[in-house]
Amino acid sequence: MTGMTNAMTVDVEDYFQVQAFANCVDRSEWDSFPRRVEANTNRILDLFAAARVKATFFTLGWVARRHPAVVRRIVADGHELASHGWDHTRADKQDPEAFRADVRRTRMVLEDTGGTPIGGYRAATFSIGAGNLWVFPILRQEGYVYSSSINPIRHDLYGMPGAPRVPFRPRADGVLEIPMTTVRWLGRNWPCSGGGYFRLLPAVLYRMGLTRVNRHDRRPGVFFFHPWEIDPGQPRIRGAGLKSRVRHYTNLSGMQADLERLSRDFRWDRMDRVYAPLLTGGAAAAAAVRP
Ligand SMILES: [Zn+2]
């Protein structure tokens, strides 16, 4: 325990909606899959309640439309409800009009369902980089306050290796970006924000990385995972390649226990509270966001 409060986040989507399976599952087939996102999210809410952890739930509009009860429980349990876009379309595959319609529709459905204002946004598959920084003013115009969508690493599906490792404004007229956490080591940024790496690598590496970010950088870290990651019994997707299967299915059975330990051993809160000083504006906030 380092004393620093970190940001716990969950990307609320189902097992058949992930980027790793986008080649073998078409959106038109989604309604034919048995959905497990509500039951899995309820298990996460139970775990957080027991551990007294508050978190931010970046939720697909598609999921909110079909599972309003779990969206209402996220809010009732004291967590932050936020937007993960409508149907997990990558932001870098949308033009500005399509992106605007997507984030507007998602925010409206989440606000109607949850009865709470939506300020946070996370793009599907961290699909914001140097080529589409125009999303930031659109997010602001559409009522959002921050984004957590850039991952300053090299990765085959996403990443913006030259991006700042700390909160920054990619466009002066846009929302604040809170990038995914990395550890600076040997002149490189190494991922330190959960996701597949958390299941694929020994848990001790993540804990060392987060401790270094808290102690050495004196910064909070951002952790993220998905409801399907605590669900070893989920139906297997046919036709998926080896890399996708390794990424998706490794150590699902150990994830719940790993999360319980992580909840105990570090301090966690909702993103809008961890970064509140940067989100309220003013000179102090402007100085603090300078990378
Ligand atoms: Zn996602």
Side-chain angles (χ1 to χ4, degrees):
M1 181 85 74
T2 64
M4 179 95 53
T5 301
N6 299 290
M8 176 61 76
T9 71
V10 185
D11 292 358
V12 182
E13 65 201 39
D14 222 329
Y15 63 96
F16 49 84
Q17 300 178 309
V18 302
Q19 184 65 34
F21 296 146
N23 291 334
C24 42
V25 179
D26 193 81
R27 270 188 186 71
S28 62
E29 301 172 297
W30 279 4
D31 271 316
S32 66
F33 284 88
R35 292 200 293 275
R36 298 170 74 92
V37 65
E38 178 157 359
N40 290 334
T41 304
N42 274 316
R43 285 174 53 208
I44 293 168
L45 288 164
D46 292 344
L47 188 159
F48 284 167
R52 297 194 180 166
V53 166
K54 299 297 183 204
T56 295
F57 287 73
F58 295 98
T59 305
L60 289 182
W62 192 97
V63 169
R65 175 69 45 93
R66 288 162 179 78
H67 298 282
V70 78
V71 170
R72 285 195 283 269
R73 184 178 166 199
I74 288 169
V75 176
D77 281 10
H79 303 289
E80 179 189 11
L81 183 63
S83 165
H84 195 33
W86 187 260
D87 65 354
H88 222 254
T89 301
R90 295 179 65 113
D92 55 8
K93 299 280 186 237
Q94 293 177 312
D95 62 21
E97 284 67 32
F99 179 80
R100 184 187 296 278
D102 182 311
V103 298
R104 178 179 294 181
R105 180 185 186 200
T106 306
R107 189 169 69 84
M108 283 168 57
V109 166
L110 290 174
E111 289 188 347
D112 280 354
T113 310
T116 184
I118 302 299
Y121 170 75
R122 175 169 291 156
T125 323
F126 305 112
S127 53
I128 295 179
N132 61 343
L133 297 180
W134 48 258
V135 301
F136 288 95
I138 293 179
L139 285 168
R140 185 171 183 170
Q141 291 153 21
E142 294 301 323
Y144 290 89
V145 180
Y146 73 88
S147 156
S148 180
S149 307
I150 288 180
N151 211 328
I153 58 167
R154 283 181 206 288
H155 188 281
D156 58 342
L157 297 176
Y158 53 79
M160 186 179 173
R165 299 175 50 236
V166 298
F168 68 111
R169 277 186 204 277
R171 290 270 303 260
D173 54 351
V175 298
L176 182 78
E177 168 65 26
I178 302 168
M180 302 311 287
T181 302
T182 54
V183 168
R184 190 80 187 157
W185 190 54
L186 300 177
R188 262 189 69 170
N189 294 345
W190 301 84
C192 184
S193 59
Y197 295 104
F198 184 69
R199 285 180 291 112
L200 290 163
L201 300 173
V204 65
L205 278 182
Y206 175 76
R207 307 159 76 82
M208 284 169 58
L210 181 58
T211 302
R212 181 176 163 88
V213 168
N214 286 168
R215 291 220 174 109
H216 181 267
D217 300 347
R218 300 185 160 278
R219 296 272 178 184
V222 178
F223 184 83
F224 86 102
F225 70 104
H226 307 88
W228 53 262
E229 290 187 85
I230 58 157
D231 182 11
Q234 66 192 269
R236 294 306 190 253
I237 300 289
R238 269 173 292 167
L242 177 63
K243 186 156 82 170
S244 298
R245 292 203 309 272
V246 169
R247 267 186 188 156
H248 193 90
Y249 296 124
T250 299
N251 195 29
L252 296 178
S253 56
M255 185 67 176
Q256 172 122 10
D258 284 346
L259 282 172
E260 283 166 0
R261 270 196 69 188
L262 205 58
S263 298
R264 273 198 312 272
D265 294 353
F266 291 87
R267 211 172 276 168
W268 302 97
D269 202 354
R270 323 160 22 141
M271 202 155 215
D272 61 347
R273 279 209 289 257
V274 171
Y275 293 95
L278 305 186
L279 298 174
T280 48
V289 297
R290 210 166 290 140

